[in-house]
Protein backbone atom coordinates (compact mmCIF):
# COMPACT_ATOMS: atom_id res chain seq x y z
CA UNK A 1 0.00 0.00 0.00
CA UNK A 2 1.52 3.38 -1.00
CA UNK A 3 1.65 6.32 1.44
CA UNK A 4 0.72 9.84 0.27
CA UNK A 5 3.46 12.42 1.13
CA UNK A 6 2.19 15.72 2.58
CA UNK A 7 3.58 18.95 1.06
CA UNK A 8 2.72 22.61 0.56
CA UNK A 9 0.78 23.40 -2.53
CA UNK A 10 1.83 26.29 -4.77
CA UNK A 11 -1.09 28.35 -3.52
CA UNK A 12 -0.11 27.78 0.10
CA UNK A 13 3.47 28.82 -0.61
CA UNK A 14 2.30 32.00 -2.29
CA UNK A 15 0.07 32.80 0.68
CA UNK A 16 2.97 32.31 3.12
CA UNK A 17 5.26 34.50 1.01
CA UNK A 18 2.56 37.18 0.84
CA UNK A 19 2.12 37.12 4.63
CA UNK A 20 5.88 37.43 5.17
CA UNK A 21 5.97 40.36 2.74
CA UNK A 22 3.19 42.14 4.62
CA UNK A 23 4.93 41.59 7.97
CA UNK A 24 8.22 42.96 6.60
CA UNK A 25 6.41 45.99 5.18
CA UNK A 26 4.83 46.61 8.59
CA UNK A 27 8.01 46.07 10.61
CA UNK A 28 10.54 47.94 8.43
CA UNK A 29 9.24 51.46 9.22
CA UNK A 30 9.23 50.60 12.93
CA UNK A 31 12.83 49.39 12.73
CA UNK A 32 13.88 52.50 10.80
CA UNK A 33 12.09 54.71 13.32
CA UNK A 34 13.85 52.97 16.21
CA UNK A 35 17.24 53.40 14.52
CA UNK A 36 16.64 57.10 13.85
CA UNK A 37 15.48 57.59 17.45
CA UNK A 38 18.78 56.08 18.61
CA UNK A 39 20.73 58.33 16.21
CA UNK A 40 18.84 61.40 17.39
CA UNK A 41 19.57 60.48 21.00
CA UNK A 42 23.28 60.10 20.22
CA UNK A 43 23.20 63.44 18.42
CA UNK A 44 21.67 65.05 21.50
CA UNK A 45 24.34 63.46 23.67
CA UNK A 46 27.05 64.93 21.44
CA UNK A 47 25.48 68.33 21.87
CA UNK A 48 25.38 67.91 25.65
CA UNK A 49 29.15 67.48 25.55
CA UNK A 50 29.34 70.90 23.93
CA UNK A 51 27.29 72.19 26.86
CA UNK A 52 29.60 70.69 29.47
CA UNK A 53 32.67 72.00 27.65
CA UNK A 54 31.13 75.43 27.24
CA UNK A 55 30.50 75.76 30.99
CA UNK A 56 33.93 74.40 31.89
CA UNK A 57 35.53 76.90 29.53
CA UNK A 58 33.55 79.71 31.14
CA UNK A 59 34.51 78.58 34.64
CA UNK A 60 38.16 78.74 33.59
CA UNK A 61 38.19 81.83 31.36
CA UNK A 62 35.21 83.73 32.82
CA UNK A 63 33.88 84.16 29.27
CA UNK A 64 32.57 81.87 26.54
CA UNK A 65 34.75 81.31 23.47
CA UNK A 66 34.09 83.65 20.58
CA UNK A 67 32.03 82.51 17.62
CA UNK A 68 35.04 83.56 15.57
CA UNK A 69 38.22 84.09 17.54
CA UNK A 70 41.71 85.26 16.69
CA UNK A 71 42.98 84.12 13.26
CA UNK A 72 39.43 83.00 12.30
CA UNK A 73 39.46 80.13 14.79
CA UNK A 74 36.12 78.52 15.56
CA UNK A 75 34.34 78.07 18.86
CA UNK A 76 35.02 74.36 18.44
CA UNK A 77 38.79 74.88 18.43
CA UNK A 78 38.67 76.55 21.85
CA UNK A 79 36.40 73.90 23.39
CA UNK A 80 38.55 70.89 22.45
CA UNK A 81 40.53 70.60 25.73
CA UNK A 82 37.26 70.61 27.67
CA UNK A 83 35.87 67.75 25.56
CA UNK A 84 38.84 65.42 26.22
CA UNK A 85 40.39 66.22 22.85
CA UNK A 86 43.55 67.92 24.06
CA UNK A 87 45.49 65.83 21.55
CA UNK A 88 43.63 67.53 18.69
CA UNK A 89 43.92 70.94 20.38
CA UNK A 90 47.71 70.53 20.42
CA UNK A 91 47.67 70.17 16.62
CA UNK A 92 46.39 73.73 16.21
CA UNK A 93 48.80 76.62 15.71
CA UNK A 94 46.77 79.48 17.16
CA UNK A 95 49.41 81.98 16.06
CA UNK A 96 48.47 81.31 12.43
CA UNK A 97 45.15 81.48 10.59
CA UNK A 98 42.84 78.49 10.44
CA UNK A 99 43.69 78.18 6.72
CA UNK A 100 47.48 78.23 7.22
CA UNK A 101 49.58 75.23 6.22
CA UNK A 102 50.59 74.78 9.88
CA UNK A 103 46.96 73.85 10.59
CA UNK A 104 46.48 71.38 7.72
CA UNK A 105 46.61 68.34 10.01
CA UNK A 106 44.11 69.83 12.45
CA UNK A 107 41.77 70.80 9.59
CA UNK A 108 41.74 67.20 8.41
CA UNK A 109 41.33 65.55 11.81
CA UNK A 110 37.87 64.11 12.39
CA UNK A 111 36.47 64.72 15.86
CA UNK A 112 33.69 62.15 16.36
CA UNK A 113 31.68 64.25 18.82
CA UNK A 114 31.43 67.02 16.20
CA UNK A 115 29.31 64.87 13.88
CA UNK A 116 25.69 63.73 14.05
CA UNK A 117 25.13 60.05 13.18
CA UNK A 118 21.99 60.97 11.21
CA UNK A 119 24.14 62.76 8.62
CA UNK A 120 26.19 60.90 6.02
CA UNK A 121 29.71 59.91 7.14
CA UNK A 122 32.27 62.71 7.17
CA UNK A 123 34.01 62.26 3.83
CA UNK A 124 36.90 64.71 4.37
CA UNK A 125 35.96 66.96 1.47
CA UNK A 126 39.13 68.71 0.26
CA UNK A 127 40.93 66.97 3.13
CA UNK A 128 38.83 68.92 5.64
CA UNK A 129 37.00 67.34 8.58
CA UNK A 130 33.53 68.69 9.27
CA UNK A 131 30.95 69.36 11.95
CA UNK A 132 27.17 69.26 12.25
CA UNK A 133 27.02 71.46 15.32
CA UNK A 134 26.85 75.24 15.08
CA UNK A 135 27.09 78.08 17.60
CA UNK A 136 24.23 80.59 17.65
CA UNK A 137 25.04 84.08 16.34
CA UNK A 138 21.55 85.43 17.07
CA UNK A 139 18.40 86.50 15.28
CA UNK A 140 19.93 89.35 13.26
CA UNK A 141 21.48 89.21 9.79
CA UNK A 142 24.75 91.15 10.18
CA UNK A 143 27.87 88.97 10.01
CA UNK A 144 30.27 90.59 12.45
CA UNK A 145 30.25 92.37 15.74
CA UNK A 146 30.82 96.00 14.74
CA UNK A 147 28.01 98.50 14.21
CA UNK A 148 28.40 100.51 11.00
CA UNK A 149 28.17 104.23 11.84
CA UNK A 150 28.92 105.61 8.36
CA UNK A 151 25.60 106.39 6.59
CA UNK A 152 27.28 105.93 3.20
CA UNK A 153 28.07 102.27 3.89
CA UNK A 154 25.67 99.46 2.87
CA UNK A 155 25.46 97.99 6.39
CA UNK A 156 24.52 101.28 8.05
CA UNK A 157 21.52 100.78 10.30
CA UNK A 158 21.76 96.98 10.43
CA UNK A 159 21.94 95.87 14.10
CA UNK A 160 24.96 93.92 15.35
CA UNK A 161 24.50 90.25 16.36
CA UNK A 162 22.40 89.64 19.47
CA UNK A 163 23.36 86.01 20.11
CA UNK A 164 26.00 84.45 22.34
CA UNK A 165 28.56 83.57 19.65
CA UNK A 166 29.79 85.86 16.86
CA UNK A 167 33.01 87.39 15.53
CA UNK A 168 35.01 88.50 18.58
CA UNK A 169 32.09 87.96 20.97
CA UNK A 170 33.73 86.50 24.15
CA UNK A 171 30.39 86.62 25.94
CA UNK A 172 30.12 86.13 29.70
CA UNK A 173 27.17 84.38 31.33
CA UNK A 174 26.27 87.65 33.02
CA UNK A 175 25.64 89.17 29.58
CA UNK A 176 22.90 86.62 28.84
CA UNK A 177 20.20 88.70 30.51
CA UNK A 178 17.32 86.77 28.93
CA UNK A 179 18.41 83.78 31.04
CA UNK A 180 20.50 80.76 30.13
CA UNK A 181 17.39 78.53 29.96
CA UNK A 182 15.81 80.90 27.44
CA UNK A 183 18.75 81.44 25.09
CA UNK A 184 20.06 79.16 22.34
CA UNK A 185 23.73 78.18 22.30
CA UNK A 186 24.07 75.43 19.66
CA UNK A 187 21.98 73.67 17.03
CA UNK A 188 22.57 71.54 13.93
CA UNK A 189 23.23 71.81 10.20
CA UNK A 190 23.85 68.99 7.73
CA UNK A 191 27.22 69.08 5.98
CA UNK A 192 27.62 70.18 2.36
CA UNK A 193 29.03 68.31 -0.61
CA UNK A 194 31.66 70.90 -1.67
CA UNK A 195 30.30 70.72 -5.22
CA UNK A 196 29.66 74.13 -6.78
CA UNK A 197 28.26 72.50 -9.93
CA UNK A 198 25.32 70.88 -8.15
CA UNK A 199 22.73 72.57 -5.93
CA UNK A 200 21.15 71.00 -2.86
CA UNK A 201 18.36 72.92 -1.16
CA UNK A 202 19.23 71.81 2.36
CA UNK A 203 23.01 71.57 2.17
CA UNK A 204 24.01 74.72 0.34
CA UNK A 205 23.96 78.45 1.09
CA UNK A 206 22.36 80.55 -1.66
CA UNK A 207 22.75 84.09 -3.00
CA UNK A 208 19.43 85.80 -3.79
CA UNK A 209 21.37 88.93 -4.82
CA UNK A 210 19.27 91.32 -2.74
CA UNK A 211 20.32 93.61 0.15
CA UNK A 212 17.76 93.05 2.91
CA UNK A 213 17.83 95.35 5.93
CA UNK A 214 15.66 93.20 8.22
CA UNK A 215 15.37 89.51 9.16
CA UNK A 216 11.84 89.41 7.70
CA UNK A 217 13.05 90.63 4.31
CA UNK A 218 16.04 88.29 4.35
CA UNK A 219 13.77 85.34 5.14
CA UNK A 220 11.35 86.25 2.35
CA UNK A 221 14.13 86.77 -0.22
CA UNK A 222 15.69 83.42 0.69
CA UNK A 223 12.33 81.67 0.50
CA UNK A 224 11.76 83.03 -3.01
CA UNK A 225 15.22 82.35 -4.50
CA UNK A 226 15.42 79.76 -7.26
CA UNK A 227 17.79 77.41 -5.48
CA UNK A 228 18.10 75.19 -8.57
CA UNK A 229 19.77 78.05 -10.45
CA UNK A 230 23.49 77.26 -10.09
CA UNK A 231 24.31 80.97 -10.40
CA UNK A 232 22.51 81.48 -7.08
CA UNK A 233 24.70 79.01 -5.21
CA UNK A 234 26.90 80.77 -2.70
CA UNK A 235 28.70 78.19 -0.54
CA UNK A 236 28.74 74.40 -0.85
CA UNK A 237 31.62 73.85 1.63
CA UNK A 238 29.04 73.77 4.40
CA UNK A 239 30.21 72.55 7.79
CA UNK A 240 33.85 72.15 6.73
CA UNK A 241 36.38 72.62 8.10
CA UNK A 242 35.34 72.68 11.74
CA UNK A 243 38.51 74.62 12.52
CA UNK A 244 37.34 77.75 10.69
CA UNK A 245 34.91 80.12 12.36
CA UNK A 246 32.56 81.20 9.58
CA UNK A 247 28.84 81.58 8.86
CA UNK A 248 28.75 78.45 6.70
CA UNK A 249 31.02 76.27 8.83
CA UNK A 250 30.44 76.70 12.56
CA UNK A 251 27.76 79.38 13.07
CA UNK A 252 24.00 79.53 12.51
CA UNK A 253 21.25 82.17 12.80
CA UNK A 254 17.69 82.36 14.15
CA UNK A 255 16.36 84.30 11.14
CA UNK A 256 14.56 81.50 9.32
CA UNK A 257 13.00 78.67 11.30
CA UNK A 258 14.42 75.15 11.65
CA UNK A 259 14.91 73.39 8.31
CA UNK A 260 14.45 76.56 6.26
CA UNK A 261 16.92 77.57 3.53
CA UNK A 262 20.24 79.29 4.17
CA UNK A 263 21.24 82.44 2.26
CA UNK A 264 23.96 85.09 2.09
CA UNK A 265 23.66 88.68 0.88
CA UNK A 266 25.96 91.58 -0.04
CA UNK A 267 27.31 93.04 1.94
CA UNK A 268 28.03 91.12 5.13
CA UNK A 269 24.47 89.83 5.73
CA UNK A 270 23.73 86.18 6.40
CA UNK A 271 20.93 83.83 7.43
CA UNK A 272 22.35 80.33 7.89
CA UNK A 273 19.47 78.26 9.27
CA UNK A 274 19.51 75.26 11.57
CA UNK A 275 18.57 71.98 9.89
CA UNK A 276 19.03 68.24 10.30
CA UNK A 277 18.20 64.83 8.89
CA UNK A 278 15.99 64.07 11.89
CA UNK A 279 12.31 63.91 10.93
CA UNK A 280 10.38 67.11 11.66
CA UNK A 281 12.91 69.12 13.66
CA UNK A 282 16.38 69.81 15.05
CA UNK A 283 18.26 69.38 18.29
CA UNK A 284 19.03 72.64 20.07
CA UNK A 285 21.14 73.25 23.17
CA UNK A 286 20.31 76.13 25.48
CA UNK A 287 22.94 78.10 27.36
CA UNK A 288 22.15 76.20 30.56
CA UNK A 289 23.43 73.05 28.83
CA UNK A 290 20.05 71.38 28.35
CA UNK A 291 19.15 69.91 24.95
CA UNK A 292 15.68 70.04 23.41
CA UNK A 293 14.24 68.76 20.16
CA UNK A 294 12.59 71.68 18.40
CA UNK A 295 9.88 71.01 15.82
CA UNK A 296 10.14 72.50 12.36
CA UNK A 297 6.67 73.97 12.97
CA UNK A 298 7.81 76.15 15.90
CA UNK A 299 6.45 79.69 15.79
CA UNK A 300 9.03 81.86 14.00
CA UNK A 301 8.82 84.66 16.56
CA UNK A 302 9.48 82.19 19.38
CA UNK A 303 12.45 80.78 17.47
CA UNK A 304 13.89 84.26 16.98
CA UNK A 305 13.47 85.10 20.66
CA UNK A 306 15.46 81.98 21.54
CA UNK A 307 18.31 83.29 19.38
CA UNK A 308 18.64 86.55 21.31
CA UNK A 309 20.61 86.73 24.56
CA UNK A 310 19.45 90.16 25.75
CA UNK A 311 16.15 91.09 24.10
CA UNK A 312 14.15 91.00 27.36
CA UNK A 313 11.82 88.38 25.86
CA UNK A 314 9.89 85.90 27.98
CA UNK A 315 9.51 82.45 26.41
CA UNK A 316 7.30 79.65 27.65
CA UNK A 317 9.36 76.45 27.69
CA UNK A 318 6.17 74.56 26.79
CA UNK A 319 5.96 76.47 23.51
CA UNK A 320 8.82 74.56 21.89
Amino acid sequence: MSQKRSAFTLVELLVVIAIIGVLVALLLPAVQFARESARRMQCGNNMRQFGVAMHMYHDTMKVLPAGIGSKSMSTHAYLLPFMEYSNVHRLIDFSQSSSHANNAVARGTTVPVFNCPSDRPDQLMKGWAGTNYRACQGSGILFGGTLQTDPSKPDYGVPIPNGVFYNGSWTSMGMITDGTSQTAAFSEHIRGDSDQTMANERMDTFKPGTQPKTPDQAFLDCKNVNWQDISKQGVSDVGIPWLEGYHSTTLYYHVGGPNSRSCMYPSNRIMTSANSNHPNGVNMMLCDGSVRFVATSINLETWRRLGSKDGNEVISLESF
Side-chain angles (χ1 to χ4, degrees), residues 29-193:
V31 171
Q32 291 174 333
F33 178 80
R35 287 178 175 174
E36 170 51 31
S37 295
R39 289 192 292 264
R40 194 180 87 181
M41 185 177 298
Q42 180 58 52
C43 189
N45 289 337
N46 288 349
M47 200 171 283
R48 287 184 182 90
Q49 292 193 52
F50 274 87
V52 172
M54 182 180 79
H55 281 268
M56 291 175 65
Y57 185 98
H58 188 275
D59 288 346
T60 303
M61 305 297 184
K62 309 308 177 187
V63 292
L64 295 170
I68 303 176
S70 176
K71 307 296 183 178
S72 298
M73 292 296 175
S74 67
T75 306
H76 302 53
Y78 294 101
L79 291 179
L80 284 168
F82 303 91
M83 304 177 86
E84 298 186 354
Y85 284 101
S86 294
N87 58 325
V88 181
H89 185 262
R90 286 192 292 269
L91 296 174
I92 303 172
D93 183 351
F94 284 91
S95 70
Q96 302 294 337
S97 71
S98 60
S99 60
H100 193 274
N102 288 8
N103 288 313
V105 175
R107 283 196 304 274
T109 300
T110 297
V111 181
V113 76
F114 286 177
N115 296 286
C116 176
S118 290
D119 201 357
R120 56 182 172 71
D122 194 346
Q123 297 177 347
L124 294 182
M125 300 294 185
K126 297 184 179 180
W128 299 342
T131 182
N132 288 113
Y133 305 115
R134 308 288 194 92
C136 176
Q137 170 152 320
S139 57
I141 58 174
L142 188 67
F143 178 59
T146 304
L147 183 67
Q148 180 55 256
T149 58
D150 185 347
S152 67
K153 300 297 183 181
D155 293 328
Y156 177 74
V158 182
I160 63 173
N162 58 4
V164 175
F165 300 98
Y166 53 87
N167 191 2
S169 53
W170 307 109
T171 304
S172 70
M173 288 293 184
M175 296 166 66
I176 308 174
T177 56
D178 285 350
T180 57
S181 64
Q182 306 247 322
T183 305
F186 280 83
S187 191
E188 305 178 76
H189 198 293
I190 57 178
R191 293 187 303 276
D193 56 11

Side-chain angles (χ1 to χ4, degrees), residues 230-245:
I230 295 298
S231 69
K232 299 296 184 182
Q233 190 178 48
V235 176
S236 63
D237 297 336
V238 173
I240 56 174
W242 59 259
L243 185 63
E244 180 185 8

Side-chain angles (χ1 to χ4, degrees), residues 169-223:
S169 53
W170 307 109
T171 304
S172 70
M173 288 293 184
M175 296 166 66
I176 308 174
T177 56
D178 285 350
T180 57
S181 64
Q182 306 247 322
T183 305
F186 280 83
S187 191
E188 305 178 76
H189 198 293
I190 57 178
R191 293 187 303 276
D193 56 11
S194 295
D195 189 346
Q196 291 292 131
T197 67
M198 181 174 61
N200 184 294
E201 185 177 14
R202 303 184 70 239
M203 288 182 183
D204 299 330
T205 304
F206 301 99
K207 299 187 297 184
T210 59
Q211 288 188 316
K213 287 280 190 179
T214 66
D216 284 340
Q217 188 60 54
F219 177 61
L220 182 63
D221 291 349
C222 194
K223 183 178 179 181

